[in-house]
Amino acid sequence: MKIEEIDAIQYKDNQAQNVKENVVQDETVTLTINGNISRSLSAIEDSLKEFAIGYLFNENMVKSLNDIKNIEIDGPQIRVEIDDTLLKTNETVLCSDSAGGWRSKIKEVNPVESDFQVHVSELIDRIEELKDNAEIWQATGGTHVAGIVYDGQFVVKEDVSRHVAVDKVIGYGILNGFDLNHSYVIYSGRMPADMVIKMTRAGVPILASNAAPANSGYNIAKKGNITLVGFLRGNRCNIYNNQNRVIFD
Protein backbone atom coordinates (compact mmCIF):
# COMPACT_ATOMS: atom_id res chain seq x y z
CA MET A 1 0.00 0.00 0.00
CA LYS A 2 1.08 3.60 -0.62
CA ILE A 3 1.51 4.46 3.05
CA GLU A 4 4.33 5.86 5.15
CA GLU A 5 4.72 6.52 8.84
CA ILE A 6 5.53 9.96 10.25
CA ASP A 7 6.02 11.55 13.66
CA ALA A 8 3.18 13.58 15.11
CA ILE A 9 2.02 15.11 18.37
CA GLN A 10 -1.36 13.95 19.55
CA TYR A 11 -3.38 15.94 22.07
CA LYS A 12 -5.86 13.88 24.03
CA ASP A 13 -7.36 14.03 27.52
CA ASN A 14 -5.54 17.23 28.43
CA GLN A 15 -2.11 15.94 27.51
CA ALA A 16 0.15 15.83 24.47
CA GLN A 17 2.21 12.83 23.44
CA ASN A 18 4.48 11.86 20.57
CA VAL A 19 2.92 9.25 18.29
CA LYS A 20 3.51 7.57 14.97
CA GLU A 21 0.82 8.22 12.35
CA ASN A 22 0.24 6.76 8.89
CA VAL A 23 -0.14 9.10 5.92
CA VAL A 24 -0.87 8.33 2.29
CA GLN A 25 1.99 8.73 -0.20
CA ASP A 26 0.94 11.04 -3.01
CA GLU A 27 3.07 12.18 -5.95
CA THR A 28 2.90 14.76 -8.70
CA VAL A 29 1.75 12.70 -11.68
CA THR A 30 2.09 14.20 -15.15
CA LEU A 31 0.02 13.07 -18.11
CA THR A 32 1.38 14.19 -21.49
CA ILE A 33 -0.86 13.76 -24.53
CA ASN A 34 0.60 13.66 -28.05
CA GLY A 35 3.75 15.34 -26.78
CA ASN A 36 2.24 18.80 -26.34
CA ILE A 37 -0.71 18.70 -23.93
CA SER A 38 0.37 18.24 -20.32
CA ARG A 39 -1.65 17.82 -17.12
CA SER A 40 -0.03 17.60 -13.67
CA LEU A 41 -1.95 16.51 -10.60
CA SER A 42 -1.51 15.05 -7.16
CA ALA A 43 -2.27 11.33 -7.15
CA ILE A 44 -1.25 7.96 -5.80
CA GLU A 45 1.26 6.32 -8.11
CA ASP A 46 -0.91 3.26 -8.69
CA SER A 47 -3.20 2.03 -11.50
CA LEU A 48 -1.84 4.79 -13.75
CA LYS A 49 -2.76 2.98 -16.98
CA GLU A 50 -6.36 2.74 -15.82
CA PHE A 51 -6.25 6.41 -14.81
CA ALA A 52 -4.93 7.48 -18.22
CA ILE A 53 -7.64 5.53 -20.07
CA GLY A 54 -10.40 6.81 -17.80
CA TYR A 55 -9.16 10.39 -18.06
CA LEU A 56 -9.03 10.30 -21.86
CA PHE A 57 -12.59 8.96 -22.07
CA ASN A 58 -13.98 11.16 -19.31
CA GLU A 59 -12.44 14.33 -20.74
CA ASN A 60 -13.90 13.45 -24.15
CA MET A 61 -10.52 13.08 -25.86
CA VAL A 62 -11.23 9.56 -27.17
CA LYS A 63 -14.33 7.49 -27.90
CA SER A 64 -12.84 3.98 -28.02
CA LEU A 65 -9.68 2.09 -27.09
CA ASN A 66 -8.79 2.12 -30.79
CA ASP A 67 -8.31 5.89 -30.49
CA ILE A 68 -5.44 5.28 -28.04
CA LYS A 69 -2.31 4.43 -29.99
CA ASN A 70 0.16 4.03 -27.12
CA ILE A 71 0.48 4.43 -23.35
CA GLU A 72 3.95 4.64 -21.78
CA ILE A 73 4.40 4.87 -18.01
CA ASP A 74 7.74 5.83 -16.43
CA GLY A 75 7.26 6.31 -12.70
CA PRO A 76 4.89 9.26 -12.26
CA GLN A 77 5.23 10.23 -15.93
CA ILE A 78 2.48 9.05 -18.28
CA ARG A 79 2.85 9.63 -22.00
CA VAL A 80 0.02 8.78 -24.36
CA GLU A 81 -0.50 9.02 -28.10
CA ILE A 82 -4.07 9.32 -29.32
CA ASP A 83 -5.99 10.03 -32.48
CA ASP A 84 -6.33 13.80 -32.19
CA THR A 85 -9.60 14.11 -34.11
CA LEU A 86 -11.55 15.15 -31.01
CA LEU A 87 -8.79 17.48 -29.86
CA LYS A 88 -9.29 19.53 -33.01
CA THR A 89 -12.94 20.22 -32.18
CA ASN A 90 -14.06 23.15 -30.06
CA GLU A 91 -14.88 22.80 -26.35
CA THR A 92 -14.15 19.09 -26.34
CA VAL A 93 -11.91 18.96 -23.26
CA LEU A 94 -13.21 19.63 -19.77
CA CYS A 95 -10.28 20.53 -17.50
CA SER A 96 -11.80 19.25 -14.29
CA ASP A 97 -10.54 19.15 -10.71
CA SER A 98 -8.47 16.09 -11.64
CA ALA A 99 -6.25 18.32 -13.78
CA GLY A 100 -5.51 21.53 -11.99
CA GLY A 101 -8.56 22.60 -10.01
CA TRP A 102 -10.57 24.52 -12.61
CA ARG A 103 -13.36 23.70 -15.02
CA SER A 104 -14.45 24.98 -18.39
CA LYS A 105 -18.09 25.62 -19.14
CA ILE A 106 -19.95 22.49 -20.17
CA LYS A 107 -21.91 23.36 -23.29
CA GLU A 108 -22.87 20.00 -24.77
CA VAL A 109 -24.28 16.99 -22.96
CA ASN A 110 -25.34 13.84 -24.78
CA PRO A 111 -27.99 11.97 -22.74
CA VAL A 112 -27.23 8.43 -21.60
CA GLU A 113 -29.81 5.93 -22.82
CA SER A 114 -29.90 2.87 -20.58
CA ASP A 115 -32.55 0.51 -19.18
CA PHE A 116 -30.21 -0.62 -16.39
CA GLN A 117 -31.73 -0.94 -12.90
CA VAL A 118 -30.34 -1.73 -9.46
CA HIS A 119 -32.08 -2.57 -6.19
CA VAL A 120 -31.74 0.02 -3.45
CA SER A 121 -30.55 -2.65 -0.98
CA GLU A 122 -27.60 -3.41 -3.27
CA LEU A 123 -26.55 0.25 -3.27
CA ILE A 124 -26.71 0.33 0.53
CA ASP A 125 -24.62 -2.85 0.75
CA ARG A 126 -22.10 -1.55 -1.78
CA ILE A 127 -21.38 1.67 0.12
CA GLU A 128 -20.43 -0.45 3.12
CA GLU A 129 -18.33 -2.71 0.91
CA LEU A 130 -16.64 0.35 -0.51
CA LYS A 131 -15.47 1.38 2.95
CA ASP A 132 -14.43 -2.17 3.83
CA ASN A 133 -12.24 -2.34 0.70
CA ALA A 134 -10.67 1.08 1.26
CA GLU A 135 -7.43 -0.14 2.81
CA ILE A 136 -5.48 3.10 2.47
CA TRP A 137 -8.39 5.16 3.75
CA GLN A 138 -8.76 2.89 6.77
CA ALA A 139 -5.06 3.24 7.56
CA THR A 140 -4.69 6.97 6.90
CA GLY A 141 -8.05 8.67 6.35
CA GLY A 142 -6.34 10.46 3.46
CA THR A 143 -8.03 9.13 0.33
CA HIS A 144 -11.24 9.15 -1.63
CA VAL A 145 -12.64 5.81 -2.71
CA ALA A 146 -14.45 4.82 -5.91
CA GLY A 147 -15.88 1.55 -7.14
CA ILE A 148 -17.44 0.30 -10.36
CA VAL A 149 -20.01 -2.49 -10.39
CA TYR A 150 -20.76 -4.61 -13.44
CA ASP A 151 -22.40 -8.03 -13.67
CA GLY A 152 -21.53 -8.92 -10.06
CA GLN A 153 -17.97 -7.64 -10.30
CA PHE A 154 -16.99 -4.85 -7.89
CA VAL A 155 -13.63 -3.12 -8.38
CA VAL A 156 -12.41 -0.46 -5.94
CA LYS A 157 -9.70 2.17 -6.41
CA GLU A 158 -8.43 4.84 -4.02
CA ASP A 159 -6.71 8.16 -4.56
CA VAL A 160 -6.16 11.51 -2.88
CA SER A 161 -8.42 13.01 -5.57
CA ARG A 162 -11.98 11.75 -5.99
CA HIS A 163 -11.73 12.61 -9.69
CA VAL A 164 -8.65 10.46 -10.17
CA ALA A 165 -10.24 7.59 -8.22
CA VAL A 166 -13.27 7.71 -10.53
CA ASP A 167 -11.05 7.96 -13.63
CA LYS A 168 -9.24 4.83 -12.42
CA VAL A 169 -12.36 2.70 -11.98
CA ILE A 170 -13.87 3.78 -15.28
CA GLY A 171 -10.54 3.15 -16.98
CA TYR A 172 -10.45 -0.30 -15.38
CA GLY A 173 -13.93 -1.03 -16.67
CA ILE A 174 -13.08 0.04 -20.21
CA LEU A 175 -9.81 -1.91 -20.19
CA ASN A 176 -11.55 -5.06 -18.97
CA GLY A 177 -14.58 -5.03 -21.25
CA PHE A 178 -17.27 -3.84 -18.84
CA ASP A 179 -20.52 -2.73 -20.44
CA LEU A 180 -20.53 0.73 -18.88
CA ASN A 181 -24.12 1.28 -20.01
CA HIS A 182 -25.11 -1.50 -17.58
CA SER A 183 -22.75 -0.54 -14.76
CA TYR A 184 -22.78 1.98 -11.95
CA VAL A 185 -20.15 3.96 -10.08
CA ILE A 186 -20.20 4.43 -6.32
CA TYR A 187 -17.77 6.72 -4.54
CA SER A 188 -17.04 9.05 -1.63
CA GLY A 189 -17.54 12.75 -2.17
CA ARG A 190 -19.78 15.43 -3.61
CA MET A 191 -21.37 15.22 -7.05
CA PRO A 192 -20.64 18.50 -8.88
CA ALA A 193 -20.98 19.09 -12.63
CA ASP A 194 -17.46 18.01 -13.55
CA MET A 195 -17.97 14.66 -11.80
CA VAL A 196 -21.38 13.98 -13.33
CA ILE A 197 -20.17 14.84 -16.84
CA LYS A 198 -17.67 11.99 -16.51
CA MET A 199 -20.61 9.61 -16.19
CA THR A 200 -22.35 10.96 -19.28
CA ARG A 201 -19.20 10.78 -21.39
CA ALA A 202 -18.47 7.23 -20.24
CA GLY A 203 -22.13 6.20 -20.62
CA VAL A 204 -22.55 5.15 -16.97
CA PRO A 205 -26.25 5.61 -16.02
CA ILE A 206 -26.00 5.71 -12.20
CA LEU A 207 -23.66 7.59 -9.84
CA ALA A 208 -24.05 6.92 -6.11
CA SER A 209 -22.28 8.59 -3.20
CA ASN A 210 -22.28 8.99 0.56
CA ALA A 211 -22.50 12.76 -0.07
CA ALA A 212 -24.93 14.96 -1.99
CA PRO A 213 -25.03 16.52 -5.46
CA ALA A 214 -24.23 20.17 -6.00
CA ASN A 215 -26.80 22.11 -8.01
CA SER A 216 -24.42 22.09 -10.99
CA GLY A 217 -24.23 18.29 -10.82
CA TYR A 218 -27.99 17.97 -10.48
CA ASN A 219 -28.53 20.09 -13.60
CA ILE A 220 -26.00 18.11 -15.65
CA ALA A 221 -27.62 14.86 -14.45
CA LYS A 222 -30.97 16.07 -15.81
CA LYS A 223 -29.44 16.95 -19.18
CA GLY A 224 -27.39 13.76 -19.28
CA ASN A 225 -30.18 11.41 -18.14
CA ILE A 226 -28.07 10.26 -15.17
CA THR A 227 -29.51 8.89 -11.93
CA LEU A 228 -27.84 10.37 -8.83
CA VAL A 229 -28.10 8.58 -5.50
CA GLY A 230 -26.86 10.60 -2.53
CA PHE A 231 -26.60 10.34 1.26
CA LEU A 232 -26.06 6.58 1.13
CA ARG A 233 -25.69 6.18 4.87
CA GLY A 234 -27.03 3.39 7.02
CA ASN A 235 -30.36 2.37 5.55
CA ARG A 236 -31.29 5.62 3.83
CA CYS A 237 -30.53 7.51 0.66
CA ASN A 238 -31.89 10.23 -1.61
CA ILE A 239 -32.53 9.55 -5.29
CA TYR A 240 -32.29 12.44 -7.74
CA ASN A 241 -33.44 12.16 -11.37
CA ASN A 242 -34.68 9.02 -13.15
CA GLN A 243 -35.84 7.26 -10.02
CA ASN A 244 -37.09 4.38 -12.19
CA ARG A 245 -33.52 3.01 -12.33
CA VAL A 246 -33.66 2.19 -8.60
CA ILE A 247 -35.87 -0.73 -7.54
CA PHE A 248 -37.56 -0.69 -4.12
CA ASP A 249 -39.73 -3.82 -3.97
PDB file of all heavy atoms in Angstrom, residues 55-73:
ATOM      1  N   TYR A  55      -9.259   8.939 -17.841  1.00  0.00           N
ATOM      2  CA  TYR A  55      -9.160  10.385 -18.061  1.00  0.00           C
ATOM      3  C   TYR A  55      -9.443  10.734 -19.519  1.00  0.00           C
ATOM      4  O   TYR A  55     -10.207  11.663 -19.811  1.00  0.00           O
ATOM      5  CB  TYR A  55      -7.771  10.876 -17.666  1.00  0.00           C
ATOM      6  CG  TYR A  55      -7.583  12.367 -17.840  1.00  0.00           C
ATOM      7  CD1 TYR A  55      -7.869  13.246 -16.810  1.00  0.00           C
ATOM      8  CD2 TYR A  55      -7.131  12.898 -19.047  1.00  0.00           C
ATOM      9  CE1 TYR A  55      -7.710  14.612 -16.970  1.00  0.00           C
ATOM     10  CE2 TYR A  55      -6.976  14.261 -19.223  1.00  0.00           C
ATOM     11  CZ  TYR A  55      -7.262  15.112 -18.185  1.00  0.00           C
ATOM     12  OH  TYR A  55      -7.119  16.468 -18.360  1.00  0.00           O
ATOM     13  N   LEU A  56      -8.848   9.997 -20.436  1.00  0.00           N
ATOM     14  CA  LEU A  56      -9.033  10.296 -21.859  1.00  0.00           C
ATOM     15  C   LEU A  56     -10.489  10.155 -22.280  1.00  0.00           C
ATOM     16  O   LEU A  56     -10.998  10.969 -23.060  1.00  0.00           O
ATOM     17  CB  LEU A  56      -8.147   9.374 -22.706  1.00  0.00           C
ATOM     18  CG  LEU A  56      -6.635   9.583 -22.573  1.00  0.00           C
ATOM     19  CD1 LEU A  56      -5.880   8.470 -23.292  1.00  0.00           C
ATOM     20  CD2 LEU A  56      -6.208  10.944 -23.107  1.00  0.00           C
ATOM     21  N   PHE A  57     -11.173   9.129 -21.772  1.00  0.00           N
ATOM     22  CA  PHE A  57     -12.595   8.961 -22.072  1.00  0.00           C
ATOM     23  C   PHE A  57     -13.422  10.036 -21.375  1.00  0.00           C
ATOM     24  O   PHE A  57     -14.296  10.656 -21.994  1.00  0.00           O
ATOM     25  CB  PHE A  57     -13.075   7.575 -21.632  1.00  0.00           C
ATOM     26  CG  PHE A  57     -12.870   6.500 -22.660  1.00  0.00           C
ATOM     27  CD1 PHE A  57     -11.640   5.877 -22.796  1.00  0.00           C
ATOM     28  CD2 PHE A  57     -13.903   6.103 -23.491  1.00  0.00           C
ATOM     29  CE1 PHE A  57     -11.439   4.874 -23.741  1.00  0.00           C
ATOM     30  CE2 PHE A  57     -13.715   5.096 -24.441  1.00  0.00           C
ATOM     31  CZ  PHE A  57     -12.478   4.495 -24.567  1.00  0.00           C
ATOM     32  N   ASN A  58     -13.145  10.264 -20.095  1.00  0.00           N
ATOM     33  CA  ASN A  58     -13.981  11.164 -19.311  1.00  0.00           C
ATOM     34  C   ASN A  58     -13.794  12.626 -19.690  1.00  0.00           C
ATOM     35  O   ASN A  58     -14.688  13.449 -19.459  1.00  0.00           O
ATOM     36  CB  ASN A  58     -13.688  10.980 -17.819  1.00  0.00           C
ATOM     37  CG  ASN A  58     -14.047   9.593 -17.324  1.00  0.00           C
ATOM     38  OD1 ASN A  58     -14.838   8.896 -17.938  1.00  0.00           O
ATOM     39  ND2 ASN A  58     -13.444   9.189 -16.223  1.00  0.00           N
ATOM     40  N   GLU A  59     -12.665  12.959 -20.266  1.00  0.00           N
ATOM     41  CA  GLU A  59     -12.437  14.328 -20.738  1.00  0.00           C
ATOM     42  C   GLU A  59     -12.784  14.468 -22.220  1.00  0.00           C
ATOM     43  O   GLU A  59     -12.502  15.486 -22.848  1.00  0.00           O
ATOM     44  CB  GLU A  59     -10.974  14.737 -20.498  1.00  0.00           C
ATOM     45  CG  GLU A  59     -10.531  14.638 -19.052  1.00  0.00           C
ATOM     46  CD  GLU A  59     -11.341  15.515 -18.114  1.00  0.00           C
ATOM     47  OE1 GLU A  59     -11.827  16.576 -18.556  1.00  0.00           O
ATOM     48  OE2 GLU A  59     -11.507  15.150 -16.942  1.00  0.00           O
ATOM     49  N   ASN A  60     -13.389  13.420 -22.786  1.00  0.00           N
ATOM     50  CA  ASN A  60     -13.903  13.454 -24.153  1.00  0.00           C
ATOM     51  C   ASN A  60     -12.804  13.584 -25.205  1.00  0.00           C
ATOM     52  O   ASN A  60     -13.005  14.159 -26.276  1.00  0.00           O
ATOM     53  CB  ASN A  60     -14.916  14.597 -24.324  1.00  0.00           C
ATOM     54  CG  ASN A  60     -15.901  14.336 -25.452  1.00  0.00           C
ATOM     55  OD1 ASN A  60     -16.241  13.203 -25.739  1.00  0.00           O
ATOM     56  ND2 ASN A  60     -16.345  15.398 -26.104  1.00  0.00           N
ATOM     57  N   MET A  61     -11.630  13.039 -24.903  1.00  0.00           N
ATOM     58  CA  MET A  61     -10.524  13.075 -25.856  1.00  0.00           C
ATOM     59  C   MET A  61     -10.541  11.874 -26.790  1.00  0.00           C
ATOM     60  O   MET A  61      -9.998  11.948 -27.893  1.00  0.00           O
ATOM     61  CB  MET A  61      -9.190  13.121 -25.110  1.00  0.00           C
ATOM     62  CG  MET A  61      -8.981  14.392 -24.321  1.00  0.00           C
ATOM     63  SD  MET A  61      -7.373  14.370 -23.497  1.00  0.00           S
ATOM     64  CE  MET A  61      -7.381  16.006 -22.751  1.00  0.00           C
ATOM     65  N   VAL A  62     -11.123  10.755 -26.340  1.00  0.00           N
ATOM     66  CA  VAL A  62     -11.233   9.559 -27.172  1.00  0.00           C
ATOM     67  C   VAL A  62     -12.620   8.968 -26.992  1.00  0.00           C
ATOM     68  O   VAL A  62     -13.308   9.231 -25.991  1.00  0.00           O
ATOM     69  CB  VAL A  62     -10.164   8.491 -26.812  1.00  0.00           C
ATOM     70  CG1 VAL A  62      -8.758   9.036 -26.986  1.00  0.00           C
ATOM     71  CG2 VAL A  62     -10.367   7.978 -25.386  1.00  0.00           C
ATOM     72  N   LYS A  63     -13.033   8.156 -27.956  1.00  0.00           N
ATOM     73  CA  LYS A  63     -14.325   7.492 -27.899  1.00  0.00           C
ATOM     74  C   LYS A  63     -14.206   5.973 -27.784  1.00  0.00           C
ATOM     75  O   LYS A  63     -15.169   5.293 -27.434  1.00  0.00           O
ATOM     76  CB  LYS A  63     -15.148   7.832 -29.141  1.00  0.00           C
ATOM     77  CG  LYS A  63     -15.591   9.290 -29.223  1.00  0.00           C
ATOM     78  CD  LYS A  63     -16.563   9.658 -28.130  1.00  0.00           C
ATOM     79  CE  LYS A  63     -17.135  11.053 -28.331  1.00  0.00           C
ATOM     80  NZ  LYS A  63     -18.034  11.450 -27.230  1.00  0.00           N
ATOM     81  N   SER A  64     -13.031   5.419 -28.114  1.00  0.00           N
ATOM     82  CA  SER A  64     -12.838   3.979 -28.015  1.00  0.00           C
ATOM     83  C   SER A  64     -11.358   3.704 -27.747  1.00  0.00           C
ATOM     84  O   SER A  64     -10.500   4.578 -27.931  1.00  0.00           O
ATOM     85  CB  SER A  64     -13.263   3.271 -29.303  1.00  0.00           C
ATOM     86  OG  SER A  64     -12.308   3.450 -30.331  1.00  0.00           O
ATOM     87  N   LEU A  65     -11.075   2.471 -27.336  1.00  0.00           N
ATOM     88  CA  LEU A  65      -9.678   2.089 -27.095  1.00  0.00           C
ATOM     89  C   LEU A  65      -8.860   2.173 -28.375  1.00  0.00           C
ATOM     90  O   LEU A  65      -7.641   2.378 -28.322  1.00  0.00           O
ATOM     91  CB  LEU A  65      -9.619   0.676 -26.510  1.00  0.00           C
ATOM     92  CG  LEU A  65     -10.001   0.531 -25.029  1.00  0.00           C
ATOM     93  CD1 LEU A  65     -10.016  -0.944 -24.634  1.00  0.00           C
ATOM     94  CD2 LEU A  65      -9.036   1.308 -24.136  1.00  0.00           C
ATOM     95  N   ASN A  66      -9.512   2.020 -29.527  1.00  0.00           N
ATOM     96  CA  ASN A  66      -8.794   2.116 -30.793  1.00  0.00           C
ATOM     97  C   ASN A  66      -8.245   3.517 -31.045  1.00  0.00           C
ATOM     98  O   ASN A  66      -7.342   3.698 -31.867  1.00  0.00           O
ATOM     99  CB  ASN A  66      -9.708   1.714 -31.952  1.00  0.00           C
ATOM    100  CG  ASN A  66     -10.050   0.237 -31.933  1.00  0.00           C
ATOM    101  OD1 ASN A  66      -9.275  -0.579 -31.446  1.00  0.00           O
ATOM    102  ND2 ASN A  66     -11.218  -0.111 -32.449  1.00  0.00           N
ATOM    103  N   ASP A  67      -8.811   4.528 -30.349  1.00  0.00           N
ATOM    104  CA  ASP A  67      -8.306   5.894 -30.494  1.00  0.00           C
ATOM    105  C   ASP A  67      -7.014   6.123 -29.720  1.00  0.00           C
ATOM    106  O   ASP A  67      -6.361   7.150 -29.886  1.00  0.00           O
ATOM    107  CB  ASP A  67      -9.356   6.904 -29.992  1.00  0.00           C
ATOM    108  CG  ASP A  67     -10.611   6.908 -30.845  1.00  0.00           C
ATOM    109  OD1 ASP A  67     -10.517   6.566 -32.041  1.00  0.00           O
ATOM    110  OD2 ASP A  67     -11.682   7.254 -30.318  1.00  0.00           O
ATOM    111  N   ILE A  68      -6.667   5.166 -28.832  1.00  0.00           N
ATOM    112  CA  ILE A  68      -5.438   5.279 -28.039  1.00  0.00           C
ATOM    113  C   ILE A  68      -4.359   4.446 -28.721  1.00  0.00           C
ATOM    114  O   ILE A  68      -4.435   3.221 -28.786  1.00  0.00           O
ATOM    115  CB  ILE A  68      -5.654   4.798 -26.600  1.00  0.00           C
ATOM    116  CG1 ILE A  68      -6.803   5.581 -25.948  1.00  0.00           C
ATOM    117  CG2 ILE A  68      -4.373   4.966 -25.785  1.00  0.00           C
ATOM    118  CD1 ILE A  68      -7.181   5.075 -24.564  1.00  0.00           C
ATOM    119  N   LYS A  69      -3.355   5.125 -29.234  1.00  0.00           N
ATOM    120  CA  LYS A  69      -2.309   4.430 -29.992  1.00  0.00           C
ATOM    121  C   LYS A  69      -1.229   3.834 -29.094  1.00  0.00           C
ATOM    122  O   LYS A  69      -0.662   2.782 -29.391  1.00  0.00           O
ATOM    123  CB  LYS A  69      -1.679   5.399 -30.987  1.00  0.00           C
ATOM    124  CG  LYS A  69      -2.666   5.959 -32.013  1.00  0.00           C
ATOM    125  CD  LYS A  69      -2.002   6.994 -32.911  1.00  0.00           C
ATOM    126  CE  LYS A  69      -3.006   7.569 -33.905  1.00  0.00           C
ATOM    127  NZ  LYS A  69      -2.398   8.622 -34.765  1.00  0.00           N
ATOM    128  N   ASN A  70      -0.914   4.515 -27.989  1.00  0.00           N
ATOM    129  CA  ASN A  70       0.157   4.034 -27.123  1.00  0.00           C
ATOM    130  C   ASN A  70       0.042   4.680 -25.749  1.00  0.00           C
ATOM    131  O   ASN A  70      -0.351   5.840 -25.629  1.00  0.00           O
ATOM    132  CB  ASN A  70       1.525   4.361 -27.726  1.00  0.00           C
ATOM    133  CG  ASN A  70       2.666   3.727 -26.942  1.00  0.00           C
ATOM    134  OD1 ASN A  70       2.650   2.531 -26.665  1.00  0.00           O
ATOM    135  ND2 ASN A  70       3.656   4.521 -26.560  1.00  0.00           N
ATOM    136  N   ILE A  71       0.372   3.912 -24.708  1.00  0.00           N
ATOM    137  CA  ILE A  71       0.481   4.433 -23.345  1.00  0.00           C
ATOM    138  C   ILE A  71       1.827   3.981 -22.787  1.00  0.00           C
ATOM    139  O   ILE A  71       2.134   2.789 -22.759  1.00  0.00           O
ATOM    140  CB  ILE A  71      -0.646   3.927 -22.435  1.00  0.00           C
ATOM    141  CG1 ILE A  71      -2.016   4.375 -22.953  1.00  0.00           C
ATOM    142  CG2 ILE A  71      -0.434   4.426 -20.999  1.00  0.00           C
ATOM    143  CD1 ILE A  71      -3.179   3.852 -22.130  1.00  0.00           C
ATOM    144  N   GLU A  72       2.631   4.933 -22.352  1.00  0.00           N
ATOM    145  CA  GLU A  72       3.946   4.638 -21.782  1.00  0.00           C
ATOM    146  C   GLU A  72       4.008   5.252 -20.385  1.00  0.00           C
ATOM    147  O   GLU A  72       3.747   6.445 -20.205  1.00  0.00           O
ATOM    148  CB  GLU A  72       5.051   5.232 -22.664  1.00  0.00           C
ATOM    149  CG  GLU A  72       6.458   4.970 -22.160  1.00  0.00           C
ATOM    150  CD  GLU A  72       7.507   5.615 -23.054  1.00  0.00           C
ATOM    151  OE1 GLU A  72       7.260   5.720 -24.276  1.00  0.00           O
ATOM    152  OE2 GLU A  72       8.553   6.017 -22.523  1.00  0.00           O
ATOM    153  N   ILE A  73       4.346   4.410 -19.397  1.00  0.00           N
ATOM    154  CA  ILE A  73       4.396   4.873 -18.012  1.00  0.00           C
ATOM    155  C   ILE A  73       5.819   4.716 -17.488  1.00  0.00           C
ATOM    156  O   ILE A  73       6.391   3.631 -17.524  1.00  0.00           O
ATOM    157  CB  ILE A  73       3.411   4.090 -17.135  1.00  0.00           C
ATOM    158  CG1 ILE A  73       1.976   4.325 -17.622  1.00  0.00           C
ATOM    159  CG2 ILE A  73       3.553   4.503 -15.663  1.00  0.00           C
ATOM    160  CD1 ILE A  73       0.940   3.476 -16.935  1.00  0.00           C
TER     161      ILE A  73
END
